[in-house]
């Protein structure tokens, strides 16, 4: 359960996703990451213990959902929930700001900017 610092909506949002990893995990999900190994493969090189904790935190906050593991797999797949997908426009604006204001950044892929909240979050990924 998240303990909020105040009633401020910005502070409360940061209490959920304000660490240096949570928004990057959500960004990866917008462009197709669904598995633990997908998240580990990101350029930022998150450690396994931090990843596990952030995935648990995002799931507890209702921003992502995890399906049960497929037969032969120890980990399930993850998907954005409607609540998590609602952050897509904010992620896109952060990316636009970074591209415009921080030199020598790569440009986010078109599929990232094409993503819309309604494209995600219907249900957890199916057990495949």
């Amino acid at each position: 359960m998240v303990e909020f610092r105040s009633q401020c909506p910005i502070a409360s949002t940061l209490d959920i996703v304000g660490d240096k990893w949570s928004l990057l995990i959500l960004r990866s999900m917008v462009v197709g990451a669904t598995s633990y190994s997908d998240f580990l493969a990101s350029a930022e090189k998150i450690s396994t213990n931090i990843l596990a904790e952030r995935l648990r935190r995002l799931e507890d906050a209702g921003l992502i959902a995890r399906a049960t593991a497929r037969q032969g797999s120890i980990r399930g797949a993850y998907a954005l929930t409607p609540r998590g997908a609602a952050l897509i426009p904010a992620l896109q604006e952060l990316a636009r700001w970074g591209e415009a204001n921080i030199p020598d950044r790569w440009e986010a892929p078109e599929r990232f900017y094409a993503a819309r909240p309604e494209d995600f979050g219907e249900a957890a990924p199916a057990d495949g």
Side-chain angles (χ1 to χ4, degrees):
M1 181 72 182
V2 177
E3 292 199 25
F4 296 106
R5 293 175 277 178
S6 74
Q7 295 295 312
C8 171
I10 294 171
S12 297
T13 301
L14 290 173
D15 289 336
I16 297 171
V17 295
D19 63 273
K20 73 181 199 175
W21 295 109
S22 294
L23 291 177
L24 296 178
I25 292 168
L26 297 175
R27 172 218 57 198
S28 294
M29 295 181 83
V30 170
V31 294
T34 61
S35 70
Y36 198 83
S37 59
D38 289 342
F39 302 121
L40 287 176
S42 75
E44 294 82 16
K45 304 297 181 204
I46 189 170
S47 65
T48 57
N49 61 321
I50 298 293
L51 176 58
E53 194 278 327
R54 292 310 185 277
L55 289 170
R56 188 171 32 258
R57 183 190 303 177
L58 293 169
E59 190 173 6
D60 289 348
L63 301 181
I64 66 173
R66 186 168 79 104
T68 56
R70 291 178 294 187
Q71 186 174 8
S73 174
I74 60 171
R75 295 187 177 95
Y78 295 88
L80 289 171
T81 64
R83 186 175 182 178
L87 285 165
I88 290 172
L91 292 171
Q92 291 166 331
E93 287 306 311
L94 284 169
R96 284 184 183 100
W97 185 91
E99 289 172 8
N101 292 285
I102 304 172
D104 302 320
R105 301 300 95 192
W106 50 264
E107 191 171 316
E110 181 54 38
R111 71 179 186 258
F112 174 78
Y113 287 122
R116 301 172 312 170
E118 55 270 17
D119 297 335
F120 296 84
E122 292 302 315
D127 297 343

